[in-house]
Amino acid sequence: MSRPLVICDCDEVLLHFVGPFGDYLAAQHDLTLNLESFALSGNIRRADGTAVEPENFLPLLNGFFDTHMPTQTPSPGAADALAALAKDCDVVILTNVDDRHNTVRTNELARLGMPYRVVTNNGPKGRPVRALMDEYGATKGAFVDDLPPHHGSVKRAAPEVFRLHMVADPRLHALIPASRDADARVDDWPSALPILQAALGVTR
Ligand SMILES: [Mg+2]
């Protein structure tokens, strides 16, 4: 019988993102990342106060991932929680970064105590979650992500998967309301672990 499958996002779930990305924008591009609303591309400003145009966002994001992934630090308790889950479950990291960033992301997560398979994706996560559930032959699954649209996408494509909405950075908690498509909203790993274990039937 197959083991339950945990499918977990990386940025702002396992690793801090807005903090290191903001530091990168300031240090490398003399730009400021404001966290007054959760719309990254409109919240990057130059020293003169003008906003960086949307078409310039992706190059900045990829520039960060090209050179500054090692500046991303783990969310407290993330490695311990995944290690506990991995005793009973298969664990896959499903992350929306370019395929070329897969190796560095895999190595960085392993360096930080999270030595799991990394699947890179572009766009909604419902289809890749469905594919992973089918690939592993899993009858029970859990999905963890900070972005509400992904929970809706997974709900439609893989409704049997338990969906936990987590936003690691406290500055974003109030900016990202609980997803209506998630089964739970918890913003820290020590609290998330027993919820996931119960949902997956692996409570110890
Ligand atoms: Mg994320």
Side-chain angles (χ1 to χ4, degrees):
M1 186 173 150
S2 65
R3 309 204 309 164
L5 180 61
V6 175
I7 302 170
C8 189
D9 180 35
C10 181
D11 291 308
E12 221 57 84
V13 171
L14 296 176
L15 302 183
H16 289 299
F17 171 71
V18 289
F21 184 51
D23 292 345
Y24 160 82
L25 292 173
Q28 302 295 319
H29 297 282
D30 198 24
L31 297 169
T32 303
L33 176 63
N34 296 309
L35 294 175
E36 287 145 20
S37 65
F38 191 66
L40 286 177
S41 67
N43 280 341
I44 300 172
R45 297 188 178 275
R46 302 182 184 88
D48 65 6
T50 56
V52 167
E53 296 74 16
E55 61 268 29
N56 292 327
F57 175 70
L58 204 54
L60 290 168
L61 186 65
N62 280 320
F64 171 74
F65 287 132
D66 279 335
T67 56
H68 281 62
M69 263 196 210
T71 68
Q72 292 188 260
T73 53
S75 174
D80 287 346
L82 285 191
L85 289 165
K87 291 175 185 168
D88 304 295
C89 308
D90 289 312
V91 176
V92 175
I93 313 305
L94 179 61
T95 178
N96 274 11
V97 294
D98 198 277
D99 290 342
R100 73 177 190 271
H101 298 128
N102 190 312
T103 301
V104 174
R105 174 136 280 178
T106 302
N107 293 341
E108 274 303 302
L109 284 166
R111 183 176 70 82
L112 297 167
M114 294 176 269
Y116 307 106
R117 176 185 172 190
V118 172
V119 173
T120 48
N121 179 61
N122 178 21
K125 291 190 174 178
R127 186 182 297 197
V129 165
R130 177 77 270 150
L132 285 165
M133 289 294 289
D134 293 345
E135 177 189 336
Y136 282 76
T139 54
K140 289 188 174 182
F143 172 75
V144 187
D145 206 288
D146 62 313
L147 297 180
H150 290 316
H151 289 281
S153 170
V154 171
K155 183 179 184 177
R156 290 186 292 275
E160 78 276 25
V161 173
F162 180 84
R163 297 170 303 279
L164 189 144
H165 186 197
M166 178 188 291
V167 180
D169 192 306
R171 291 170 294 179
L172 298 178
H173 290 173
L175 300 180
I176 307 181
S179 168
R180 288 179 304 160
D181 295 316
D183 297 295
R185 165 68 182 260
V186 178
D187 290 327
D188 71 277
W189 276 103
S191 303
L193 177 59
I195 295 171
L196 292 169
Q197 287 174 319
L200 294 166
V202 297
T203 307
R204 285 178 176 242

